[in-house]
Amino acid sequence: MTVAADRQVKDPCAWLSAVTLELAGAHPADTRGVLMAVWDGLVAARLAGLHAAGASPRWRARQGHAEAAEFDLAVQLARTCTAGPGLAMPAGLPGAAVAWPAARADAAVAAIISFCATAETMLRRAGELTPVWEDSLLGPVSLTRRLADSWAGRHTGRPLRLPAPPPSWWR
């Protein structure tokens, strides 16, 4: 079952911080656990980023670049997490979303970049513990770096082109 997180989360930044701490404390030998925690963090980061994008043109532009990295990372994680990701990736904000002040948007972007650094580190550690590095870990390592670079303004990627129909986890 896939759950839409955007309707349940009151504070995406607090959730993202909690997931980042959980991920940092995960045992890298539990590859699936690391990947599932990265999925949860990606959902939280996506939601926080959508809110931040509504606060200023700078974050809106960067969110547009980050969106393709988010989607590509979600595709790779969804393939790897064979039991299903559980949380749906929010395609957009609910219609009743309230605009965030600039300071909260800035904090959200800082939390996203911090999550990406933690995810990249944990995915690398998990990869080091596998007998042979797998694509299930190599791709997410580079995509978490690209996501952080997109939010930091160091990567101006391509716009997202969703497949038709979009995956069931992209809502």
Side-chain angles (χ1 to χ4, degrees):
M1 180 171 98
T2 302
V3 178
D6 57 338
R7 291 171 184 80
Q8 300 172 358
V9 175
K10 302 294 182 221
D11 187 349
C13 292
W15 180 35
L16 181 56
S17 295
V19 171
T20 301
L21 284 173
E22 177 187 332
L23 181 59
H27 194 286
D30 179 11
T31 304
R32 187 170 191 289
V34 168
L35 291 169
M36 293 298 288
V38 171
W39 177 274
D40 289 351
L42 180 61
V43 173
R46 169 92 176 141
L47 192 54
L50 288 168
H51 279 285
S56 78
R58 174 178 72 160
W59 294 137
R60 190 172 309 111
R62 291 186 187 180
Q63 191 276 328
H65 299 303
E67 191 168 49
E70 291 166 344
F71 183 82
D72 291 346
L73 179 55
V75 166
Q76 291 212 0
L77 292 172
R79 272 190 212 135
T80 305
C81 300
T82 54
L87 292 173
M89 193 66 56
L93 288 176
V98 177
W100 283 5
R104 188 168 183 200
D106 294 349
V109 172
I112 293 168
I113 292 170
S114 175
F115 160 74
C116 288
T118 301
E120 182 179 2
T121 298
M122 292 306 294
L123 289 164
R124 282 186 191 283
R125 286 183 186 159
E128 291 167 358
L129 295 175
T130 59
V132 177
W133 267 77
E134 304 170 13
D135 286 345
S136 64
L137 296 170
L138 284 173
V141 165
S142 82
L143 288 167
T144 54
R145 166 60 37 213
R146 188 170 62 152
L147 181 57
D149 287 347
S150 295
W151 279 110
R154 294 185 299 265
H155 188 283
T156 55
R158 59 179 168 72
L160 175 63
R161 291 193 184 134
L162 282 173
S168 61
W169 43 259
W170 188 268
R171 293 187 184 177

